[in-house]
Amino acid sequence: MSQELTVKPFSMYFDLISGMSNERSTTKRHLSNMRGMFSNGEALEAMIEKENSLMYEFFELEMPEKDGHLLFGTSIVYPGKVGNEYFMTKGHFHTILDTAEVYYCLGGKGYMLMENPEGDWIAEEMTPGKAVYVPGRYAHRSINVGDEPMITFFVFRADAGHDYGTIETKGYRKLIVENEGKVDIVDNPKWGI
């Protein structure tokens, strides 16, 4: 039997430098959780065999999945590359596809890569102090192109849900890679395959 979760006003601490909270633990994604996400699968497997490093972590609050509630937290993406592709989050659509989300960059440097089912895509640069609005219908993924953790604060409606499956199946149309020492956005040769 499900129990109704009652929410009373509350506050939660997040460190502005590390993005961490001392009140809850994070959900962690290691290299092995990212199989199928990178274009160079062989490079990923070689890295996992050497050390299954932490790629990113984030906070998940337990909130009623109902309209009128919000989920919020921080996401920390660590620096690194698989082949020439920068460390990133899996990325997702929302199950309620029209749900928007806001990200605010607290630290580090990277991009929010977004695309919708109709084929529109954009990569918004994220630097400290910059907020990115992710409209409804856009899948979104955080990508760290710097040499320090990229930390963002996010908020969206609590009943939106996460659709990771579409991204795990099709990938993103674009990849963000290092090319001759610079950040480059290229077509994903495996998109939709």
Side-chain angles (χ1 to χ4, degrees):
M1 173 183 282
S2 65
Q3 187 174 5
E4 182 69 24
L5 182 64
T6 302
V7 180
K8 295 185 176 183
F10 70 97
S11 61
M12 185 169 169
Y13 172 78
F14 292 101
D15 185 277
L16 290 175
I17 304 300
S18 70
M20 302 301 284
S21 174
N22 57 6
E23 301 175 25
R24 294 177 189 263
S25 59
T26 59
T27 299
K28 295 176 173 46
R29 299 281 190 248
H30 292 83
L31 292 172
S32 60
N33 300 119
M34 298 295 285
R35 287 189 168 103
M37 297 289 109
F38 287 90
S39 63
N40 189 337
E42 291 179 7
L44 178 63
E45 290 302 325
M47 292 174 71
I48 293 170
E49 190 172 313
K50 185 176 179 183
E51 182 181 352
N52 189 20
S53 301
L54 180 63
M55 183 170 290
Y56 70 96
E57 56 190 318
F58 57 98
F59 289 92
E60 289 181 308
L61 299 181
E62 187 177 340
M63 298 290 281
E65 294 183 4
K66 290 183 172 180
D67 188 15
H69 290 281
L70 297 172
L71 277 177
F72 64 88
T74 53
S75 170
I76 301 110
V77 183
Y78 294 99
K81 292 189 291 288
V82 174
N84 66 344
E85 196 172 353
Y86 293 100
F87 278 12
M88 61 191 180
T89 60
K90 278 190 172 183
H92 60 270
F93 286 98
H94 288 291
T95 306
I96 299 176
L97 192 58
D98 286 333
T99 302
E101 186 166 353
V102 170
Y103 285 80
Y104 182 77
C105 185
L106 299 171
K109 179 181 177 184
Y111 287 85
M112 181 64 67
L113 181 61
M114 298 171 273
E115 68 176 47
N116 67 13
E118 290 74 32
D120 186 41
W121 70 272
I122 188 167
E124 283 290 330
E125 189 172 14
M126 298 194 77
T127 53
K130 192 165 185 180
V132 171
Y133 181 74
V134 180
R137 301 186 63 78
Y138 279 77
H140 41 289
R141 161 182 283 170
S142 300
I143 301 167
N144 185 348
V145 302
D147 54 9
E148 59 186 304
M150 177 181 156
I151 302 160
T152 55
F153 179 86
F154 60 84
V155 62
F156 62 97
R157 62 186 273 189
D159 63 342
H162 293 89
D163 169 14
Y164 293 105
T166 301
I167 299 303
E168 289 172 349
T169 303
K170 295 180 67 175
Y172 272 70
R173 289 174 171 82
K174 301 292 178 181
L175 305 176
I176 297 188
V177 301
E178 183 183 74
N179 186 4
E180 298 182 355
K182 296 181 180 178
V183 176
D184 197 7
I185 301 174
V186 299
D187 290 335
N188 180 359
K190 294 182 176 179
W191 183 80
I193 294 176

